[in-house]
Amino acid sequence: MRQRTPAPTPDIDGSLIRRGDPGYENARTDAVWNEVMPRRFPALIMRAASEEDVAHAVRYARTQGLHISIRSGGHNWSGSPLRDDGLLLDLSRLRRCAVTPATAAAPATATVGPGATGRHLVAALTPHELAFPVGHCPSVAVGGFLLSGGLGWNSRAWGASCADVQEIRAVTADGRTVTCSETEHADLFWAARGAGPGFCAAVTRFRLTLHPHPASIMATSLSFPLAEAARVTGWAAPLARQLPPYVETAFVLVPSAKPADTAAPGPRITVAATAFATTQREALAALEPFADCPFGELAVARQLPGPTSFAALHEGAVAVWPPAHRYATDTLWSPESYGTQLTRMADAMARAPSGKSLVLAPVQPVSQVPALLRNMAFAPLGESYLVCYAVWQDPAEDEANTRWLREAMAAVDPQRKGCHYIAETDLEADPARARRSYAPATWDRLQEIKAQWDPENLFHSYLAP
């Protein structure tokens, strides 16, 4: 029998690992942050060390007839980067962050690699007294986050994070490296601001507009028994909409209090508010209405307004989304109110098989100002928004937690009228999940751009069942 000639190795500075090589399984599992590891196996994993590596990898995949999937930080809960038999292009080493100070004619900007995480970006910008609406979880990389639109800290004031993307560099399916902006390759630029894991090119860098760092960041919260969900949402949701846009308000539902908190065990709903203000006085004034809850005597826990920082907010998020855990997640944009949705979800939350699971429901998670939503594939698609996270550790509990998540999401969307957010939706729940993450006209345009820029489907499209 003739021995098959091995495919030539591309000329890269990074590393190339083939299935069967030592280290392959470690590289495969490292590609997904979630401990739930899909049974999908790329033929090759290429860890790029430069933009040139990305171009070499794309051309190599074309010559070998391999489809490409892309990983920036691996936080996609469905494990979209892992696809069978193709080439997994790992961009996590492209972490450069270079800040350009403001001038009289232009705001400060940063040039950022797709592998830079929110924690990296905060550390790079804070010394310059600059900020960006980074993701709430510190280990989320900007690549997938920005491509999906980006619901970050203070997005109610600053807009979806992709609104601050001025320009991208990307390697297209034909192997070219192109610069895309509102004036160059504008269609690809539009898609890059919201297409998420179905984007039809490999982004190697983003140029971002930055914001002055808020002079005062203050946070407060109140927690109530989950049975009070209707009363709490009826009071806090209208209040949140009336507050200045620099106040971020969210409901958090959990099936049990923290073990250390023995004051009131059982399911809870928390109203958490953070003000990103120009002065401490301004921040405290914005948060003052939360001290005047008409049924405050029912609160089982209260955090008085106090100073915080982006770094501290990220540390708090680690407790909410701990590493080395198993996750199943889904999202819902709904035409119904927070009161209706969270009352439904409260019933499901009380039956959660894991005490670590939670629901996060930010009120107006992104600015509604038209100028901050222009020229992008991303759009808010409902009156209310929530994300449900099943969080557990024991692999034996996989089926129970996944089933609970899907039953809970069905309970809050019984008429199937809701839409989804592509970054965190359960893409394997049904074949329509990706399509229902966009307005119909947006979905059609994404398909047209994909057909123009990647007619041979070199880049994997959206994961589906």
Side-chain angles (χ1 to χ4, degrees):
M1 179 182 293
R2 289 183 61 187
Q3 186 173 10
R4 185 179 177 182
T5 302
T9 300
D11 182 17
I12 60 172
D13 295 323
S15 60
L16 182 71
I17 305 172
R18 302 176 189 276
R19 187 173 180 183
D21 286 352
Y24 171 86
E25 187 57 21
N26 284 340
R28 189 182 79 91
T29 56
D30 285 348
V32 179
W33 189 83
N34 190 350
E35 287 292 306
V36 176
M37 183 54 53
R39 298 287 298 172
R40 299 190 292 268
F41 299 87
L44 302 96
I45 299 173
M46 206 282 271
R47 290 170 166 165
S50 65
E51 183 177 84
E52 291 73 22
D53 277 358
V54 177
H56 284 308
V58 170
R59 290 191 287 267
Y60 178 75
R62 285 182 62 86
T63 63
Q64 300 302 313
L66 298 171
H67 293 294
I68 297 173
S69 60
I70 297 175
R71 182 245 180 177
S72 296
H75 261 270
N76 183 278
W77 304 108
S78 298
S80 284
L82 286 186
R83 304 295 183 95
D84 284 327
D85 303 325
L87 185 150
L88 170 57
L89 181 52
D90 187 336
L91 306 181
S92 60
R93 292 173 62 183
L94 304 185
R95 298 180 179 177
R96 179 174 178 267
C97 178
V99 176
T100 301
T103 66
T109 61
T111 300
V112 183
T117 66
R119 181 182 282 119
H120 292 143
L121 202 50
V122 167
L125 300 183
T126 300
H128 297 275
E129 298 185 351
L130 296 168
F132 184 80
V134 294
H136 291 78
C137 184
S139 52
V140 169
V142 301
F145 176 70
L146 292 174
L147 285 173
S148 297
L151 301 180
W153 288 110
N154 205 25
S155 283
R156 186 168 174 253
W158 290 339
S161 302
C162 70
D164 286 322
V165 176
Q166 286 188 7
E167 181 182 279
I168 66 166
R169 289 267 290 176
V171 179
T172 59
D174 58 7
R176 289 183 296 151
T177 301
V178 298
T179 299
C180 306
S181 67
E182 291 193 350
T183 57
E184 284 186 274
H185 306 303
D187 55 346
L188 201 59
F189 179 70
W190 173 88
R193 304 207 295 177
F199 186 59
C200 56
V203 179
T204 58
R205 74 179 79 162
F206 300 85
R207 186 156 64 89
L208 310 176
T209 300
L210 304 177
H211 300 267
H213 195 287
S216 178
I217 306 177
M218 305 283 286
T220 188
S221 66
L222 293 91
S223 297
F224 299 86
L226 190 52
E228 301 294 336
R231 184 183 299 190
V232 172
T233 53
W235 162 68
L239 170 63
R241 294 179 186 278
Q242 295 168 7
L243 294 175
Y246 56 79
V247 178
E248 179 174 317
T249 307
F251 299 105
V252 183
L253 282 63
V254 295
S256 60
K258 294 180 181 179
D261 188 349
T262 57
R268 290 189 175 184
I269 179 170
T270 296
V271 184
T274 308
F276 301 84
T278 56
T279 67
Q280 185 179 82
R281 182 190 295 265
E282 184 181 67
L284 289 171
L287 297 179
E288 187 175 358
F290 291 98
D292 296 326
C293 177
F295 46 91
E297 72 279 1
L298 299 179
V300 295
R302 182 188 296 265
Q303 175 193 336
L304 296 176
T308 186
S309 65
F310 284 108
L313 291 170
H314 272 161
E315 288 308 309
V318 172
V320 176
W321 299 287
H325 279 63
R326 307 174 79 80
Y327 290 85
T329 303
D330 206 357
T331 63
L332 184 69
W333 290 103
S334 172
E336 301 195 69
S337 70
Y338 283 95
T340 298
Q341 295 300 75
L342 295 186
T343 301
R344 289 170 175 167
M345 185 57 80
D347 293 336
M349 183 57 68
R351 300 189 298 272
S354 170
K356 297 184 178 184
S357 297
L358 70 144
V359 169
L360 175 65
V363 182
Q364 288 185 328
V366 65
S367 173
Q368 305 292 308
V369 175
L372 295 176
L373 291 168
R374 62 177 293 277
N375 198 26
M376 61 179 68
F378 168 81
L381 299 173
E383 173 71 14
S384 63
Y385 175 73
L386 63 82
V387 195
C388 185
Y389 300 92
V391 187
W392 71 102
Q393 284 186 289
D394 186 350
E397 298 174 359
D398 285 2
E399 182 179 352
N401 280 276
T402 301
R403 183 174 62 251
W404 170 78
L405 171 73
R406 291 183 177 174
E407 289 175 353
M409 296 305 293
V412 294
D413 190 25
Q415 303 302 318
R416 300 296 191 270
K417 293 181 179 178
C419 297
H420 307 282
Y421 173 42
I422 195 63
E424 297 191 277
T425 197
D426 182 1
L427 288 168
E428 295 179 287
D430 70 71
R433 265 300 192 271
R435 176 176 55 81
R436 290 190 61 81
S437 297
Y438 300 94
T442 299
W443 177 256
D444 291 344
R445 187 178 179 191
L446 285 171
Q447 306 317 301
E448 292 169 0
I449 292 170
K450 169 78 168 175
Q452 176 184 346
W453 285 91
D454 186 13
E456 298 176 0
N457 199 33
L458 179 70
F459 291 98
H460 274 294
S461 190
Y462 299 98
L463 183 67

